[in-house]
Amino acid sequence: MSAVQPLLRRLAETGRAEVPFVLDGVPRTALAGDTVLTAVLTHTGQLRRNEFSGAPRAGFCMMGACQDCWVQTVDGERLRACSTFVQPGMSLVTGTVQEAA
């Protein structure tokens, strides 16, 4: 089984302060000013799975109009990943972690 490759790779602005957050139970870091979408996709290949088809999703319009980038916090709060900035200590659940069979 191969490791999941991040969809995004940071090429610039690498000197910003780190922001710790948790992604599907795993401690991660983003950079100050990153959206949740950027924070997630620099660590994994998808943002979430479609609730109807199960297909992987990674955002679409990138400006909050299409409703494709919703993610949840561990507390059940829904937020738009493309227009919400990652905050220190934020704990996100993407629903992409597959249970071992």
Side-chain angles (χ1 to χ4, degrees), residues 56-94:
R57 306 302 298 165
F60 182 71
C61 73
M62 306 304 177
M63 62 182 200
C66 73
Q67 310 291 321
D68 200 47
C69 69
W70 288 102
V71 293
Q72 286 189 318
T73 66
V74 293
D75 298 328
E77 176 187 7
R78 290 185 53 186
L79 47 87
R80 283 188 180 163
C82 70
S83 59
T84 303
F85 292 104
V86 69
Q87 299 294 318
M90 189 176 263
S91 190
L92 305 167
V93 179
T94 65

Side-chain angles (χ1 to χ4, degrees), residues 12-96:
E13 298 185 20
T14 57
R16 290 184 276 141
E18 289 190 349
V19 176
F21 74 104
V22 177
L23 179 60
D24 293 323
V26 179
R28 303 288 190 177
T29 58
L31 296 183
D34 282 354
T35 63
V36 168
L37 184 66
T38 299
V40 171
L41 294 180
T42 56
H43 290 287
T44 190
Q46 64 190 39
L47 180 66
R48 65 179 187 89
R49 291 202 167 271
N50 181 282
E51 56 274 8
F52 302 107
S53 69
R57 306 302 298 165
F60 182 71
C61 73
M62 306 304 177
M63 62 182 200
C66 73
Q67 310 291 321
D68 200 47
C69 69
W70 288 102
V71 293
Q72 286 189 318
T73 66
V74 293
D75 298 328
E77 176 187 7
R78 290 185 53 186
L79 47 87
R80 283 188 180 163
C82 70
S83 59
T84 303
F85 292 104
V86 69
Q87 299 294 318
M90 189 176 263
S91 190
L92 305 167
V93 179
T94 65
T96 62

